[in-house]
Amino acid sequence: MMLFRRGIATMASVKRASKIVCIGRNYADHITELNSARPKQPFFFQKPTSSILLPGEGPVIRPKGVSLHYEVELALILGKRVRDFNAQDEQAALDAIESYALSIDMTARNVQNEAKKKGLPWDISKGFDTFLPVSKVISKSAIPDPHKIELYLSVNDKVQQNDSTELMLFRIPRILSDISKVMTLEAGDIVLTGTPKGVGPVVPGDVMRAGIRVDGKELEDAKLEVA
Amino acid sequence: MMLFRRGIATMASVKRASKIVCIGRNYADHITELNSARPKQPFFFQKPTSSILLPGEGPVIRPKGVSLHYEVELALILGKRVRDFNAQDEQAALDAIESYALSIDMTARNVQNEAKKKGLPWDISKGFDTFLPVSKVISKSAIPDPHKIELYLSVNDKVQQNDSTELMLFRIPRILSDISKVMTLEAGDIVLTGTPKGVGPVVPGDVMRAGIRVDGKELEDAKLEVA
Ligand SMILES: [Mg+2]
Ligand SMILES: [Mg+2]
Ligand SMILES: [Mg+2]
């Protein structure tokens, strides 16, 4: 359904992931738009590494009967093992990050809604093959402050998501702390930091374009285009 | 809290897993004991590879405030990539299996119940470090028919679980088919096939012993002892 038009990067650091952990409900306006409850603490789920779609690897496949939603998210790629991390230690959190990527947490929204209603796991709704398009790896130096960048996503050139990571409810040190108190994060693991408001459906033929602006300037490596 | 007493095996094929996928509610009497709904089709969730506890690696750690439950399960270790698998093809399913292991799907039951009530993911309740004790790798030839073995688990020498894998609601070909229609399974990936009735809590000091009987005979490599 969707096609990457950008060149293929060597994505060694993305393919190294032993797991992908994603924060849910980390932007207030996105919680409101889905009528969800605001979490008192970060909660998270996994996407399988088999869901990664590298630049140039082809379209996102929409499974039959699925209402397919996009969620643009900043992804952290870790450079070291993180365990029982202290949320107060902002510097150590940034030190644990090796690089970044832009990602789209594709979600089978109807499947997820059904799972929520029945108290079932989210793994099917989040885990189909191709459900995690990622950009090229973004070098750490390109993002001096991950809490102060703009994420955007457009569908057929209409901007649907466009917000600053300043709006995160739980910031990166807290996220890494909470995850790593449950599961040890390994070097190479990927953490998705949640999506701002504006999520919505895409259908075959739609073109998603996503990117990051730092101080108003477009980051070349973050550009993601999927048709 | 619990300690493996058996020798350390070289667990190359377990550590190779890029993901661990677990079937929920696959034995009727276990569904009844948890007051769960019987699924019309297999559903599944992931445990992170960081939750694996190899023989000799030490105790299962009970997180503070957690009601820790055991669930003994037969684990399949795949020998090839499985994708869009045909559930009718029993032979191909068995061909995809490289070896087996016995495993205990440790579960933070109170955390899971809370997640179910709120429609949140199961990942935290299933994903703590040490929440997946596994036996040595069991060679394929030791289990001629995976649907005809006995799984058992005792706590402090009291047998709590003891049932035949004949009782699986969804058999292995169907399980591999349903999972692989969502997420491609890679060589080395691990699939847990569900737990029979008898799950329950363990507390510090308890000793769990689990094993497999084939035609009434104990499988030496399947013996699992965690204190
Ligand atoms: Mg998301
Ligand atoms: Mg994984
Ligand atoms: Mg289980």
Side-chain angles (χ1 to χ4, degrees):
Chain A
M1 159 188 176
M2 296 139 191
L3 257 167
F4 278 99
R5 305 229 174 102
R6 301 274 148 200
I8 298 174
T10 63
M11 303 291 284
S13 20
V14 170
K15 279 298 185 187
R16 212 162 37 110
S18 76
K19 58 182 167 294
I20 303 162
V21 186
C22 314
I23 298 294
R25 302 182 196 162
N26 204 24
Y27 288 79
D29 289 340
H30 169 60
I31 295 171
T32 308
E33 75 184 349
L34 288 190
N35 290 313
S36 298
R38 186 167 170 150
K40 288 197 194 80
Q41 59 204 43
F43 74 84
F44 47 89
F45 57 90
Q46 292 170 85
K47 286 178 93 94
T49 51
S50 43
S51 66
I52 293 177
L53 186 70
L54 298 181
E57 272 196 342
V60 171
I61 307 293
R62 183 172 71 149
K64 235 193 287 182
V66 155
S67 165
L68 184 61
H69 272 216
Y70 52 81
E71 302 186 351
V72 72
E73 312 203 9
L74 175 66
L76 319 175
I77 303 169
L78 299 184
K80 51 173 79 161
R81 174 174 291 190
V82 175
R83 216 193 143 196
D84 249 333
F85 194 81
N86 179 355
Q88 306 312 313
D89 197 344
E90 181 111 6
Q91 190 53 50
L94 297 180
D95 287 349
I97 299 170
E98 184 179 88
S99 50
Y100 299 95
L102 191 63
S103 65
I104 310 179
D105 172 18
M106 299 304 299
T107 303
R109 190 70 72 201
N110 54 336
V111 178
Q112 187 197 31
N113 287 339
E114 186 87 357
K116 285 179 183 175
K117 230 182 293 172
K118 295 184 172 164
L120 293 177
W122 290 18
D123 300 68
I124 295 176
S125 66
K126 293 287 191 177
F128 285 91
D129 288 357
T130 77
F131 266 33
L132 186 57
V134 294
S135 71
K136 290 183 194 171
V137 171
I138 303 163
S139 73
K140 195 168 174 178
S141 59
I143 298 186
D145 182 353
H147 299 108
K148 224 174 181 157
I149 59 174
E150 233 179 294
L151 308 178
Y152 71 85
L153 180 143
S154 70
V155 179
N156 304 331
D157 291 325
K158 189 167 175 232
V159 177
Q160 300 289 359
Q161 299 192 276
N162 191 10
D163 264 317
S164 169
T165 52
E166 283 183 312
L167 297 174
M168 284 186 193
L169 294 177
F170 300 107
R171 290 158 67 91
I172 291 165
R174 175 69 192 278
I175 290 172
L176 293 182
S177 172
D178 274 49
I179 295 172
S180 73
K181 279 172 181 159
V182 175
M183 41 182 92
T184 298
L185 290 163
E186 304 289 347
D189 282 359
I190 298 173
V191 174
L192 268 60
T193 54
T195 195
K197 69 177 181 296
V199 303
V202 275
V203 295
D206 286 345
V207 178
M208 299 184 284
R209 284 190 190 86
I212 291 176
R213 286 185 207 95
V214 180
D215 291 329
K217 265 184 59 186
E218 190 79 33
L219 268 192
E220 216 40 53
D221 283 341
K223 280 189 176 177
L224 190 50
E225 185 169 332
V226 206
Chain B
M1 155 190 180
M2 297 141 193
L3 254 167
F4 278 98
R5 303 229 176 103
R6 301 273 147 199
I8 297 173
T10 62
M11 302 292 283
S13 21
V14 170
K15 279 299 188 188
R16 212 161 38 109
S18 77
K19 59 181 166 297
I20 303 162
V21 186
C22 313
I23 297 294
R25 302 182 195 163
N26 203 25
Y27 288 78
D29 290 341
H30 169 60
I31 295 171
T32 309
E33 75 184 350
L34 288 190
N35 290 314
S36 298
R38 186 167 169 150
K40 288 197 195 78
Q41 59 203 44
F43 75 84
F44 47 90
F45 58 89
Q46 292 169 87
K47 285 176 95 92
T49 51
S50 44
S51 66
I52 293 177
L53 186 71
L54 297 181
E57 273 197 342
V60 171
I61 307 295
R62 184 170 72 149
K64 236 194 286 183
V66 155
S67 165
L68 184 62
H69 271 217
Y70 52 81
E71 303 185 351
V72 72
E73 312 202 9
L74 175 67
L76 320 175
I77 303 170
L78 299 183
K80 51 173 78 161
R81 175 174 291 188
V82 176
R83 214 192 145 196
D84 249 335
F85 194 79
N86 180 355
Q88 306 313 315
D89 198 344
E90 181 112 3
Q91 191 52 51
L94 297 181
D95 287 349
I97 299 170
E98 184 179 87
S99 50
Y100 299 95
L102 190 63
S103 64
I104 310 179
D105 172 18
M106 301 303 300
T107 303
R109 190 70 72 201
N110 54 336
V111 178
Q112 187 197 31
N113 287 339
E114 185 88 358
K116 285 179 184 175
K117 228 182 295 172
K118 295 185 173 165
L120 293 176
W122 291 17
D123 300 69
I124 295 176
S125 66
K126 293 287 190 176
F128 286 91
D129 289 356
T130 77
F131 266 34
L132 185 57
V134 294
S135 72
K136 291 183 192 171
V137 170
I138 303 163
S139 73
K140 196 170 175 177
S141 58
I143 298 185
D145 182 354
H147 299 108
K148 224 171 181 161
I149 60 174
E150 233 180 294
L151 308 179
Y152 71 85
L153 181 143
S154 69
V155 179
N156 303 331
D157 291 325
K158 191 170 173 231
V159 177
Q160 300 289 358
Q161 300 193 273
N162 190 12
D163 264 318
S164 170
T165 52
E166 283 184 310
L167 297 174
M168 285 187 194
L169 295 176
F170 300 108
R171 289 157 67 89
I172 291 166
R174 175 68 192 278
I175 289 172
L176 293 182
S177 173
D178 274 51
I179 296 173
S180 73
K181 280 174 180 158
V182 174
M183 40 183 91
T184 298
L185 290 163
E186 305 289 347
D189 283 359
I190 298 172
V191 174
L192 268 61
T193 54
T195 195
K197 68 177 181 299
V199 305
V202 276
V203 296
D206 286 345
V207 178
M208 299 183 285
R209 283 190 192 85
I212 291 176
R213 285 185 208 97
V214 179
D215 290 329
K217 266 184 59 185
E218 189 79 34
L219 268 192
E220 217 37 55
D221 284 342
K223 281 189 176 177
L224 189 51
E225 183 168 333
V226 206

